[in-house]
Amino acid sequence: MIRITAVVAALLLTAGSSPGQTQPSPATPTGTPPPRIGLVLSGGGARGAAHAGVLKVLERLQIPVHCVVGTSMGSIVGGLYAYGYSPAELERLLTREGSPRDWAYLLADGDGRRALAFRRKEETRFITGRNRFGVKGLTIGLPKGWIQGQNLETELTFLTSEAHDLASFDDLRLPFRCVAVDLGTGHQVVLDSGNLALAMRASMSVPGVFAPAVIDGRELLDGGLTDNVPIEVARLLGCDAVIAVDIGTPPADVEEVRDLLDVTTQMFAILTQQNVDRSIDSLEPGDLLLHPDLGDIKSTEFERARELIALGEQAAEAAADELRRFGVDDATWAEFLARQRRPRHPLPTIRSIRIDNHSSLSDLVLQSRLGVEPGKPVDEARLRQGLAEVYGTDGLQRVGFALVARDGDTADLEVHAEDRSWGVDTLAIGLRLESNFEDASSYEIGALYTAKHLNALGAELRTQVGIGNDSQATMEFFQPLVPDGSLFVAPTIGATKASRDAYDGNRKIAETEINILAGGIDAGMQFGPCTELRVGWLRTHGRLDVGLNVAGQSIPAIDVDDGLLRAQFVADTLDDGLLPARGFRTTWQLDVGIEELGGDADYQSLAITHLHAVSWDGLTLTGIAFYDTVLSAMRPAYTTPALGGFLALSGLPENSIAGQHAALGTLMVRQRLIDSFAPLFVGGSIEVGNVWDRRSDQLRDFRVGGSAFVAMDLQVAPLHIGIGATEGGALSGFLFLGPVR
């Protein structure tokens, strides 16, 4: 679940050999109505998959269910059964058999970095860090849950497409109820109507893990807080007897409670067990309790669903003699199956689209990104993609949909969008460090503030500030020209103060301070969330102060000016902007310096960078290629490319060699050793590259280098510590906190 296993395990409060053939059930005596059975399914996180195993045995024993009541994961299994899925279909859904969306995806938000809006991807280039906060007015906020539930809710909504606006859950194939808790009052809420998917989602809003779900203005939490085995709710539906299945995790032995996370887990387990004990005490002589032995399987281990289903099946098989009294004859059973199984219908044609907009994006922007239109059948793949694109703008807490007012094969599509409660605007904080443990080190502390949705088309103002060896302050106003954001203009202004060192081998001989003021404007196109093309004009004015450490010489300051036209193409499919395991990023940039635009010289330069990462079972192979050349006359010295530092001839100090032309090829291998909240890796690299001042010399006399390192993916940024070596340079150690280049 992408680095949150420990947190989920601490907060998931309700978490908690093939069976032989069952003998046929005895038929209910003729003229005797079968008992009305209420099936009660408890919460327990991943352990709730055991409910599907119990259902398999109930059906083999021909035990019809009058109504279903569930809490948390029990509400999902129970709700889908009441909707009309068979136990075999539930097994496929829980094991994710044949689905491209596994549990790691369902228990996350959005389609990952690849589906983020292009500008959100680019922010990892400007700030080295994953720490982002919502900003609302003058306050900085955090979400109410680690997971907002976007992917899980979308999946449940598609699975229950004919139950989005029910007057009563009695209108399902089987009457259904699920239990939640009102965050404001602490009172139990029994959900009995409306959108089935949203009700199931609300019932498993585990505090601290899932954000509360909002239904009828109330923020709802996991029902296990008040009633993890809601037997009395089933009795209110008129059942004659209850079959209750408890798969929760009881409190651990005190010896197993070792740290703060264990104490938190134990606290929730104790609170939950208290209400479970009260519910079980309410069982009557004609009721039956099943408590499958699920061993040490944790409530977070969704990947063990198949094993859990088998254990639930075993528990029900062991109680088969007691269960048979609820069985019915073949004719009655056939009537039940006809009532419970839902015929599969295609998704309806859209009559109209309603936007229930509680966001700062305009209706026009939302509808243009959804990519659906009235008069056409719902295309599940396209609607999923549209929802992901809207969510990928990264300012929304929830993007949901419902098919309402269904009439035959037509329905209205209702889309619900709401801003993040903790703030649409974002503040990112980052830190970059590099050192060779000798005389070369650099650092930068950065902040990136993005004000979003400034007008109806979704304009943004991005402000970046960095303090360190290289200090900077820049602002860009990004104005979309069309609702889907594919065309834009972006004026920028900025100031940079940078230091560059000159080296003779590994010995520093000079320091240069560069002060630059710049302003310009770009126009461009975005092709989906992964690709951008922009062209523009940039005007810079600067001053170079050179201080020499050799023979006490000094050089007067130099004023520099540049006026240029530029074009840039970027394609980015990386799964992570700081430590990628899959995907690629390629950048082509053409700069044309023009004296008539205020520059000191006419020149043309081309820079190409490509990074590609592939992974197999924790082993990642990353290739990096870089080429920067002047196509005509020499460019200004302060714009020349430089090599040196981690993965760029690692044995040399950072940016210690520079020239009019540069080329680099790097192959890095990284093996994950420990998969935890801060994964640990070991790896190494081979690097080939050099710089040249004359065109005729380039791509000759390459220098060979490499590195060996251990790395840890911290929440702020990846940390690499190791040794580097380069032909013609000394062996040196390095520390690098920042993105893989």
Side-chain angles (χ1 to χ4, degrees):
M1 289 172 33
I2 312 177
R3 307 190 183 113
I4 67 169
T5 302
V7 177
V8 175
L11 297 175
L12 204 56
L13 67 146
T14 58
S17 106
S18 302
Q21 292 296 318
T22 304
Q23 295 298 316
S25 302
T28 302
T30 303
T32 304
R36 296 157 62 90
I37 305 301
L39 179 63
V40 179
L41 305 179
S42 80
R47 292 160 65 95
H51 293 315
V54 172
L55 284 169
K56 290 172 69 175
V57 175
L58 294 184
E59 291 212 345
R60 285 203 291 269
L61 294 171
Q62 297 187 181
I63 299 174
V65 173
H66 166 66
C67 62
V68 186
V69 178
T71 295
S72 195
M73 193 64 179
S75 75
I76 290 181
V77 177
L80 293 176
Y81 187 65
Y83 179 77
Y85 285 96
S86 70
E89 290 172 318
L90 290 174
E91 183 171 14
R92 287 194 293 272
L93 291 173
L94 291 166
T95 60
R96 309 310 297 159
E97 179 183 339
S99 173
R101 295 172 290 276
D102 60 12
W103 278 107
Y105 172 84
L106 295 181
L107 300 177
D109 293 314
D111 281 1
R113 184 179 183 273
R114 181 185 176 89
L116 284 178
F118 186 84
R119 288 181 62 77
R120 303 290 81 80
K121 290 188 177 76
E122 288 296 272
E123 287 175 357
T124 58
R125 296 180 58 229
F126 303 116
I127 194 77
T128 300
R130 294 192 175 93
N131 298 319
R132 296 199 316 150
F133 306 94
V135 179
K136 193 171 185 178
L138 298 177
T139 63
I140 295 176
L142 293 172
K144 293 182 178 180
W146 192 291
I147 305 167
Q148 301 310 303
Q150 175 68 22
N151 294 354
L152 180 62
E153 182 182 329
T154 299
E155 187 77 2
L156 293 174
T157 304
F158 275 111
L159 289 174
T160 58
S161 61
E162 298 177 50
H164 293 171
D165 58 344
L166 297 179
S168 170
F169 289 164
D170 291 346
D171 297 333
L172 292 166
R173 310 299 284 189
L174 300 174
F176 173 70
R177 300 289 186 271
C178 62
V179 175
V181 175
D182 189 317
L183 176 62
T185 65
H187 295 158
Q188 181 184 90
V189 177
V190 178
L191 297 168
D192 59 2
S193 63
N195 189 321
L196 176 61
L198 189 56
M200 293 187 292
R201 155 72 179 88
S203 183
M204 69 169 300
S205 299
V206 180
V209 179
F210 279 97
V214 179
I215 297 179
D216 296 332
R218 295 181 296 187
E219 293 188 71
L220 302 181
L221 294 173
D222 191 302
L225 284 167
T226 59
D227 199 348
N228 203 38
V229 188
I231 293 169
E232 291 305 317
V233 177
R235 296 202 194 283
L236 294 175
L237 291 175
C239 61
D240 300 317
V242 168
I243 298 175
V245 186
D246 178 18
I247 46 82
T249 304
D253 294 334
V254 68
E255 295 80 9
E256 299 177 37
V257 182
R258 294 178 294 271
D259 55 28
L260 177 61
L261 291 177
D262 290 338
V263 170
T264 304
T265 303
Q266 186 79 342
M267 176 188 69
F268 285 126
I270 291 171
L271 293 174
T272 302
Q273 191 61 44
Q274 289 175 350
N275 73 62
V276 169
D277 291 341
R278 288 195 299 270
S279 293
I280 291 175
D281 287 343
S282 72
L283 288 171
E284 298 177 354
D287 301 332
L288 180 63
L289 173 67
L290 298 178
H291 190 92
D293 182 1
L294 305 182
D296 62 350
I297 301 179
K298 297 182 175 61
S299 60
T300 56
E301 294 181 296
F302 288 87
E303 70 279 2
R304 299 178 70 177
R306 194 172 301 280
E307 183 181 349
L308 285 158
I309 292 170
L311 290 171
E313 200 170 352
Q314 286 179 11
E317 287 282 0
D321 289 342
E322 297 178 83
L323 286 168
R324 283 193 180 93
R325 59 191 167 94
F326 300 119
V328 297
D329 59 56
D330 292 344
T332 305
W333 179 246
E335 291 176 4
F336 170 77
L337 288 182
R339 183 171 73 253
Q340 188 273 331
R341 298 292 198 264
R342 178 180 293 271
R344 295 295 173 256
H345 299 123
L347 291 170
T349 296
I350 302 172
R351 280 196 309 268
S352 67
I353 298 176
R354 310 175 191 171
I355 306 294
D356 181 24
N357 194 352
H358 299 269
S359 78
S360 49
L361 289 172
S362 68
D363 289 2
L364 191 60
V365 168
L366 291 172
Q367 189 160 341
S368 69
R369 291 179 181 266
L370 282 172
V372 294
E373 54 186 280
K376 294 185 178 180
V378 174
D379 183 330
E380 179 176 341
R382 184 62 192 93
L383 182 53
R384 282 185 184 273
Q385 180 183 344
L387 293 168
E389 287 184 13
V390 173
Y391 195 78
T393 60
D394 201 38
L396 302 181
Q397 179 171 327
R398 172 179 174 248
V399 184
F401 79 95
L403 297 167
V404 299
R406 192 155 182 159
D407 183 11
D409 62 353
T410 66
D412 296 325
L413 175 64
E414 186 175 273
V415 178
H416 179 93
E418 59 185 77
D419 278 340
R420 293 195 300 209
S421 61
W422 62 98
V424 173
D425 300 344
T426 56
L427 175 66
I429 306 295
L431 173 66
R432 189 190 67 83
L433 296 171
E434 185 164 0
S435 174
N436 64 358
F437 301 114
E438 295 179 2
D439 62 342
S441 63
S442 64
Y443 76 95
E444 180 181 358
I445 300 172
L448 182 68
Y449 174 68
T450 305
K452 303 175 186 174
H453 307 171
L454 299 179
N455 56 34
L457 290 175
E460 298 181 1
L461 179 63
R462 175 191 282 161
T463 303
Q464 178 192 3
V465 176
I467 300 173
N469 297 79
D470 293 348
S471 298
Q472 57 184 315
T474 61
M475 296 180 68
E476 179 188 68
F477 183 76
F478 179 85
Q479 177 61 64
L481 301 177
V482 291
D484 65 1
S486 58
L487 299 176
F488 65 89
V489 294
T492 61
I493 58 172
T496 301
K497 180 179 180 181
S499 62
R500 292 291 180 267
D501 298 331
Y503 285 81
D504 179 11
N506 275 39
R507 184 171 64 93
K508 183 165 65 175
I509 60 173
E511 297 177 352
T512 301
E513 184 178 283
I514 306 170
N515 294 277
I516 298 291
L517 297 175
I521 186 169
D522 290 335
M525 302 176 63
Q526 291 182 352
F527 308 91
C530 297
T531 309
E532 181 185 87
L533 172 66
R534 60 167 65 195
V535 296
W537 162 80
L538 183 68
R539 177 73 169 87
T540 67
H541 172 74
R543 185 180 181 89
L544 275 64
D545 292 306
V546 182
L548 292 184
N549 296 327
V550 179
Q553 297 176 339
S554 63
I555 296 177
I558 304 171
D559 288 332
V560 293
D561 288 277
D562 208 356
L564 56 88
L565 299 178
R566 58 183 179 175
Q568 184 186 69
F569 172 80
V570 181
D572 187 341
T573 68
L574 296 176
D575 63 341
D576 189 290
L578 299 178
L579 193 68
R582 292 176 179 84
F584 69 87
R585 175 184 170 85
T586 188
T587 303
W588 292 62
Q589 180 162 326
L590 175 67
D591 290 342
V592 180
I594 302 174
E595 287 189 56
E596 285 77 5
L597 295 179
D600 292 331
D602 292 335
Y603 68 93
Q604 299 87 43
S605 66
L606 174 66
I608 304 170
T609 304
H610 183 79
L611 183 150
H612 204 120
V614 293
S615 292
W616 308 269
D617 297 327
L619 178 68
T620 299
L621 191 65
T622 303
I624 304 171
F626 169 71
Y627 180 57
D628 194 331
T629 186
V630 176
L631 302 176
S632 57
M634 295 179 62
R635 69 180 110 189
Y638 77 95
T639 67
T640 56
L643 297 179
F646 179 52
L647 299 182
L649 300 179
S650 298
L652 300 179
E654 181 186 16
N655 297 325
S656 59
I657 57 174
Q660 291 289 320
H661 314 272
L664 174 72
T666 296
L667 185 63
M668 180 184 71
V669 63
R670 181 178 72 241
Q671 174 64 54
R672 185 175 61 237
L673 298 179
I674 300 176
D675 191 5
S676 64
F677 191 70
L680 182 67
F681 306 87
V682 63
S685 66
I686 299 174
E687 306 143 19
V688 179
N690 209 347
V691 300
W692 306 270
D693 281 325
R694 294 189 302 180
R695 175 181 297 278
S696 59
D697 291 337
Q698 64 176 322
L699 305 183
R700 297 180 180 177
D701 301 323
F702 281 103
R703 305 172 76 170
V704 179
S707 70
F709 58 81
V710 294
M712 182 174 288
D713 191 4
L714 307 176
Q715 282 303 297
V716 61
L719 174 67
H720 293 77
I721 301 176
I723 56 173
T726 299
E727 181 183 357
L731 186 72
S732 62
F734 65 82
L735 177 150
F736 182 79
L737 181 73
V740 170
R741 302 173 190 236

